[in-house]
Amino acid sequence: MNGAESLVHTLVDGGVDVCFANPGTSEMHFVAALDRVAGMRSILALFEGVATGAADGFARMADRPAATLLHLGPGLVNGAANLHNARKASTPMVNVVGEHATHHMRYDAPLTADIEAMAAPVSNWVHTCVNASEVAADAARAVAAASTPPGQITTLILPANTAWEDADGPAVVPAIPERSQVSADAVSTAARVLRSGEPSVLLLTGQALRGPALELAGRIANATGSRVMAQGASARIERGAGRVAVERVPFVVDQALQVLDGVQHVILVGAKPPVAFFAYPGKPSMLTPEGCQMHRLAALGDDLDHALAWLADEVGAMDTPATLHQLGRPALPSGRLDKDSIAAVLGALIPDNAIVADESVTTGRGFFALTAGAPPHSWMNNTGGSIGLGLPLATGAAVACPERKVICLSGDGSAMYTIQALWTQARENLDVTTVVFSNRSYEILLGELAKVGAGNPGRTALDMLTLRQPDLNFVQMAAGMGVAGEQVDSCESFARALGRGLDSPGPYLVEVVI
Ligand SMILES: Cc1ncc(C[n+]2csc(CCOP(=O)(O)OP(=O)(O)O)c2C)c(N)n1
Ligand SMILES: [Mg+2]
């Protein structure tokens, strides 16, 4: 067994059995090992940002890491923007990055680069293998580090000689630390705040946005008269009928200030204190009112089910039911498409147990209200703000959950960063319906230009924010990658097209012209 085989064995035995790959010469022994070691599903991505974003989507839905295979420094850096997003989501991930053989490094060949330095800012754990006999143990540590709550990005750099030289055999993944329990102090402080009756918000993310934790937060809110909200962007929210509906902290600063107006306490349950995405002249960075106090009940990696059960007990909320959203779909709208009617079509058609990968930017700001009564579904947002995540995220989610329908909602600008994801969806026959909102602009930036006080845009500035001349044609792009689709411009045609996508088992694309 060579080092590469010992690596693949160790990953598969450790439960990492999906790899999103874009290989090169330095990774050829890893690629060959995929033939010789059973159990690894290897999926080709045609750009590294697709591989890393798909690994993110996979782990968010499967609750376990996928691997990526990336080609030296440049391959890693091509994938770095979505590694940044995944790191902000605390997604578990194991990146395997090929490197020149140790004896070749000193010649400064074209692809030689400081891979560790490139990996560091987008990884929580980085290690370069030193010899073939240690590769398996290194990989086992990488899997354990990735799986350490709340989840980490690990990058294992594999010099070609450590892949091709003889190894002893696979290694066993060390024990993964349990989620920690919160302190009695944190619980009693939160309980005191909630009992005070002063306006309070339980701000949730991570595990608190699903399962028992979410339901417990709903009980606490009802028992104490506090509110539950979700962090502005979260890796995954379980929502829809039968679940506690949570509003997100809005992106637009003025809206966020309004929503949080009068709040005197924020109890952080895995979440970070709410801050504006950007600074704007004359606007605060913190979205809470002056004097509002932050209380951390639990960090993201803590046992949030336990923390909320303890808090619920402490405030006597265990007998208070949570308010669960009723099943209630909006009527299918007709006529012209706008943001509200798009939301209504989605609310009317999101299937039971669907997964939504949302990078709809301005079009989707109001999607939550009209989709809250759809059947139960999972909703994923971009936690790192680097666009080009939506299509890859949907791709990975579909690999993780082949029995569930995946809907990708993407702005036209965002879709263009990683449009190659469609090819992977076609090749793997993934059940993803992609909806692209073709407003033919970076609409958000037209608003931002005004908000930062950059003045009235002239022709040249506007040219940087519009996507016309030529118009993009997403249906043709999809066709070129083996994905069927259609363009729509009315509520009726959108509903029909979305229905067609959802009724067919493979990938489909709907371009919504607005
Ligand atoms: C990697 C990266 N590059 C650039 C940006 C800046 N940016 C934020 S939103 C956006 C445009 C989004 O356009 P689109 O997806 O069409 O959504 P719309 O604003 O039209 O709703 C850009 C370029 C970013 N966030 N990330
Ligand atoms: Mg756009």
Side-chain angles (χ1 to χ4, degrees):
M1 181 179 296
N2 64 28
E5 289 159 356
S6 78
L7 168 56
V8 177
H9 253 302
T10 301
L11 292 177
V12 171
D13 292 353
V16 181
D17 57 6
V18 172
C19 179
F20 296 96
N22 189 271
T25 306
S26 41
E27 295 79 39
M28 284 300 115
H29 281 83
F30 185 106
V31 171
L34 295 170
D35 273 337
R36 289 196 284 270
V37 181
M40 179 67 85
R41 179 172 178 193
S42 194
I43 296 174
L44 181 61
L46 302 186
F47 175 66
E48 293 84 350
V50 174
T52 53
D56 187 1
F58 177 91
R60 290 190 198 194
M61 293 314 304
D63 286 326
R64 61 192 175 87
T68 68
L69 181 66
L70 308 170
H71 185 50
L72 297 100
L76 172 73
V77 170
N78 271 349
N82 276 339
L83 290 178
H84 160 90
N85 287 329
R87 194 176 66 86
K88 294 280 187 174
S90 293
T91 295
M93 193 185 299
V94 179
N95 301 301
V96 178
V97 183
E99 166 65 299
H100 287 310
T102 318
H103 64 267
H104 195 60
M105 289 296 293
R106 77 180 77 112
Y107 300 107
D108 193 27
L111 276 159
T112 304
D114 188 345
I115 304 178
E116 284 191 4
M118 290 165 159
V122 288
S123 308
N124 305 98
W125 183 101
V126 180
H127 178 76
T128 303
C129 298
V130 177
N131 62 57
S133 62
E134 287 169 39
V135 165
D138 292 341
R141 285 191 298 124
V143 174
S147 310
T148 297
Q152 303 199 89
I153 307 295
T154 65
T155 300
L156 185 65
I157 301 164
L158 186 69
N161 57 306
T162 69
W164 72 52
E165 284 162 10
D166 285 347
D168 304 329
V172 175
V173 173
I176 289 152
E178 300 277 322
R179 287 178 170 269
S180 16
Q181 311 251 303
V182 297
S183 71
D185 264 5
V187 176
S188 63
T189 303
R192 180 175 44 75
V193 163
L194 291 170
R195 279 193 298 254
S196 75
E198 292 173 351
S200 304
V201 168
L202 286 157
L203 191 64
L204 317 179
T205 199
Q207 297 282 327
L209 286 169
R210 48 168 142 155
L214 179 57
E215 213 247 347
L216 286 160
R219 285 174 190 265
I220 295 168
N222 280 356
T224 62
S226 54
R227 283 154 69 194
V228 282
M229 288 193 74
Q231 190 173 275
S234 289
R236 173 176 165 190
I237 304 183
E238 296 299 305
R239 59 193 304 274
R243 287 165 175 167
V244 174
V246 280
E247 207 185 324
R248 298 170 288 191
V249 175
F251 170 86
V252 177
V253 170
D254 287 339
Q255 287 172 14
L257 293 173
Q258 203 181 349
V259 166
L260 295 170
D261 189 31
V263 173
Q264 290 181 24
H265 302 276
V266 174
I267 296 170
L268 302 167
V269 190
K272 294 179 181 160
V275 296
F277 237 76
F278 295 103
Y280 301 93
K283 304 263 183 216
S285 292
M286 283 295 298
L287 297 172
T288 43
E290 220 164 296
C292 175
Q293 293 175 39
M294 296 288 150
H295 312 276
R296 177 161 295 290
L297 172 68
L300 191 59
D302 289 340
D303 183 344
L304 303 186
D305 288 340
H306 174 262
L308 286 163
W310 192 354
L311 180 59
D313 197 39
E314 198 76 12
V315 298
M318 278 309 202
D319 297 326
T320 310
T323 307
L324 306 178
H325 208 291
Q326 300 288 307
L327 181 69
R329 291 179 177 279
L332 268 178
S334 58
R336 229 178 62 83
L337 278 168
D338 57 22
K339 288 168 188 166
D340 287 339
S341 56
I342 289 170
V345 172
L346 292 171
L349 296 183
I350 289 175
D352 189 22
N353 206 25
I355 299 166
V356 178
D358 176 14
E359 195 169 52
S360 53
V361 195
T362 55
T363 308
R365 292 225 175 109
F367 280 174
F368 260 31
L370 284 167
T371 55
H377 58 275
S378 308
W379 196 287
M380 301 187 288
N381 274 113
N382 186 336
T383 50
S386 175
I387 58 173
L389 176 62
L391 274 69
L393 204 60
T395 305
V399 173
C401 303
E403 73 293 351
R404 299 177 66 176
K405 291 278 168 191
V406 180
I407 301 175
C408 176
L409 306 173
S410 180
D412 48 359
S414 298
M416 285 305 293
Y417 287 70
T418 43
I419 194 74
Q420 304 92 321
L422 292 174
W423 181 86
T424 299
Q425 291 175 13
R427 185 184 232 209
E428 302 290 327
N429 195 29
L430 301 177
D431 198 358
V432 182
T433 300
T434 300
V435 182
V436 177
F437 301 112
S438 269
N439 56 13
R440 314 231 179 266
S441 71
Y442 289 160
E443 185 178 309
I444 186 173
L445 298 185
L446 291 163
E448 296 291 285
L449 192 99
K451 283 195 280 178
V452 297
N456 275 335
R459 174 69 200 273
T460 309
L462 279 178
D463 279 348
M464 298 302 104
L465 310 178
T466 58
L467 304 179
R468 293 197 174 277
Q469 294 176 312
D471 283 358
L472 296 157
N473 188 319
F474 285 92
V475 176
Q476 284 181 5
M477 281 186 262
M481 288 181 269
V483 174
E486 61 192 294
Q487 204 182 63
V488 299
D489 61 1
S490 70
C491 291
E492 290 84 349
S493 57
F494 177 37
R496 270 197 307 274
L498 182 59
R500 252 193 292 278
L502 293 170
D503 288 343
S504 60
Y508 198 72
L509 180 134
V510 181
E511 179 175 2
V512 177
V513 178
I514 39 175

